[in-house]
Amino acid sequence: MYTRSLVVALAVQASFAVASPLFERAVDFYSPSARGGSMLDNAGSGEGEPLNIIISGLSSSTVLDDAGFLNFARAIGFSTECFGIHIGDPQSANLGDGNGPVNQTIELRQDFGNANTGTCLESLLGGNHFRMYRQNGSLADSGALFLATSKEEDVTEGHTIVPDGYDIGRNELVAAAVGTTSFGGVTYSTMARNITGLLAPGSAGVNHGIAQDGIVTLLTVTII
């Protein structure tokens, strides 16, 4: 015969057992390399682009879904590709979450202040752009978004990355994001923190052989 106190204790224990998966996302991110992933995506050439910005899994949940992230991106000067036209194959990344290599969720470009057609200017003149990947597999379900960010040349140069373009792209995106921004009636407050040790500095394995400083910037985005 169970006593009342034992029944209560078992009920409490069971509730924690059921609720525990909810706490798996209470982290900024998981290091991809801890579970066989990489902080370089796969550019299809045997090399990769650095995942040099992470949107923290502790950000407001709406920011981390596809529609909410696109709205945030527009708040900081990025939008979908010119008339939805994309040239080139998607790149994949293994974030060590158990999903293996997964193609980019979306690729966004600098919109020069016009979320509707401004990315057409980026396609012609060059500018900043990024690919986004989501860490949501069963082995590391942080919900964090990993961005491969870089600044590229104009169309006459074939959209190759500018010298030091990975660091420049990261720094320009972070500068646009930090502080208070808004789009579509939603206002965001963004804080940044630089992290070392996730990404090896230098050019080894990096697409186009462009060296980068090894800094990954963590952005925590809160809807206010």
Side-chain angles (χ1 to χ4, degrees):
M1 180 71 66
Y2 290 131
T3 65
R4 176 178 174 80
S5 60
L6 180 56
V7 170
V8 171
L10 288 171
V12 170
Q13 184 178 19
S15 69
F16 275 105
V18 171
S20 61
L22 299 178
F23 294 96
E24 291 181 5
R25 283 196 168 187
V27 296
D28 287 313
F29 63 93
Y30 294 103
S31 172
S33 62
R35 295 172 176 83
S38 174
M39 288 297 292
L40 295 174
D41 71 9
N42 182 352
S45 60
E47 298 179 327
E49 299 187 348
L51 302 173
N52 48 16
I53 293 177
I54 301 173
I55 309 296
S56 169
L58 300 180
S59 299
S60 294
S61 59
T62 302
V63 174
L64 301 175
D65 66 34
D66 287 351
F69 177 71
L70 177 57
N71 197 77
F72 169 69
R74 286 173 167 159
I76 64 173
F78 293 81
S79 194
T80 51
E81 296 192 274
C82 179
F83 300 116
I85 299 171
H86 176 72
I87 298 175
D89 295 329
Q91 296 182 11
S92 64
N94 183 348
L95 300 182
D97 59 0
N99 286 335
V102 176
N103 283 346
Q104 62 204 43
T105 299
I106 195 169
E107 182 172 351
L108 299 179
R109 298 184 181 277
Q110 187 175 351
D111 66 16
F112 295 95
N114 186 327
N116 294 317
T117 59
T119 56
C120 296
L121 284 176
E122 197 279 342
S123 296
L124 293 173
L125 305 177
N128 211 354
H129 78 307
F130 65 82
R131 308 168 194 273
M132 182 269 275
Y133 306 89
R134 178 176 286 109
Q135 188 177 58
N136 63 354
S138 60
L139 297 183
D141 186 10
S142 69
L145 310 179
F146 287 64
L147 311 184
T149 312
S150 59
K151 189 166 186 174
E152 59 185 7
E153 304 276 11
D154 63 29
V155 66
T156 65
E157 298 292 332
H159 287 156
T160 57
I161 307 302
V162 304
D164 202 26
Y166 296 116
D167 294 346
I168 292 172
R170 178 200 61 213
N171 293 344
E172 288 188 356
L173 187 151
V174 170
V178 168
T180 302
T181 56
S182 63
F183 187 87
V186 183
T187 301
Y188 307 93
S189 175
T190 302
M191 297 185 299
R193 176 165 61 93
N194 287 340
I195 300 173
T196 58
L198 287 173
L199 181 65
S203 60
V206 178
N207 202 28
H208 306 297
I210 297 174
Q212 44 78 40
D213 60 16
I215 293 173
V216 176
T217 301
L218 178 71
L219 298 180
T220 304
V221 184
T222 305
I223 294 176
I224 58 177

